[in-house]
Structures are given as C-alpha cells and as structure tokens.
Amino acid sequence: MKPRILYIEDNEQNYYLVSVILAARGYEVLRASDGPEGIDLALRERPRLILLDIQLPGMDGYAVARAIKARDELRRAPIVAVTSYAMLGDREKALEAGCDDYVEKPIDPMAFGALVDRWLAAGATTGGT
Ligand code: MN
C-alpha cells in the first residue's frame, strides 16, 4: 500500500506542486484546505505524515499542530510545517507548537522529496501507523 500523506494547505498552487512531487515518489496525498478539516481527515485516515501550512484561514497552523499532538491517536504522525513565513523565530514557534520539522517555501522539489522520504522511514522504524 502506498504511504498516505495528509497536506493541510489552502493555496491551490502550493498544493498542486507538492502533490505532483509526492505522487512522483509513489505516495498517496490527501488534502484538507483548513485546520478543522485537516484534523477530521487525520482522525479518519491516519496518515503516516502530515504536511502543514502555517498561514491557514481561521485556525492557523500552530493551533492545528497543537490540536493534532494533543490527540493520542494522532501524535505519532510526524508533522512537517511548510511555510512562507521567513520571520526570525518562526522555526522555533513551529517546533514549540509540536511540529517535528520545518520547510520554507518556495519548495525545492528534490530536497523536499528527500525530506519526506526520511520522515516516512523514521516513522516506519518506530512503528507509526
Ligand atoms: Mn496558506
């Protein structure tokens, strides 16, 4: 079965780019356009990895990360923040909120694909779903 990845992203272009990169590597990508939808989908589908935009309408990515890590059944899924914020301290804020890693847009397709591979491999060795 293809590893399933959830991408919580409100921007069509970003979603499209990432979904093409991940599909080319053989991953299945699920999309949510906002935080509450992403949390629901994560609970239903149990993705192996969650990619999380920080600038989301309504509930921002930090709040989404906190909500996901507060759920026992979800906290094993690594969260990678994907953000266009280039402000000092942003990485720390994402990690503090419970994200496991942080990537800045614009995304470099090769480096991003390799990072996703690494997180999925890490999850596999610790028995993630
Ligand atoms: Mn956004």
Side-chain angles (χ1 to χ4, degrees):
M1 207 175 83
K2 291 181 179 182
R4 206 181 285 156
I5 298 170
L6 170 63
Y7 186 19
I8 307 173
E9 170 65 78
D10 61 314
N11 180 281
E12 296 296 331
Q13 281 180 307
N14 293 335
Y15 175 74
Y16 180 75
L17 172 64
V18 165
S19 65
V20 167
I21 294 167
L22 298 180
R25 298 177 98 88
Y27 300 130
E28 183 186 343
V29 190
L30 305 170
R31 184 196 182 178
S33 309
D34 62 32
E37 187 191 352
I39 295 163
D40 281 353
L41 207 54
L43 286 166
R44 268 208 313 279
E45 303 290 339
R46 303 300 171 84
R48 289 262 311 273
L49 176 69
I50 298 170
L51 304 174
L52 176 62
D53 179 30
I54 294 298
Q55 286 178 288
L56 289 166
M59 188 179 191
D60 71 18
Y62 304 119
V64 175
R66 274 185 230 108
I68 288 172
K69 291 297 183 182
R71 304 290 300 238
D72 282 340
E73 61 272 63
L74 296 181
R75 72 164 50 107
R76 279 192 307 181
I79 301 176
V80 177
V82 183
T83 178
S84 49
Y85 281 0
M87 283 157 50
L88 196 66
D90 218 53
R91 182 187 184 90
E92 288 68 26
K93 258 176 94 176
L95 298 179
E96 248 171 51
C99 295
D100 299 281
D101 206 347
Y102 174 95
V103 175
E104 267 174 33
K105 296 167 187 163
I107 285 164
D108 172 81
M110 290 306 290
F112 183 74
L115 178 141
V116 166
D117 290 349
R118 279 200 305 279
W119 277 109
L120 287 169
T125 61
T126 55
T129 49

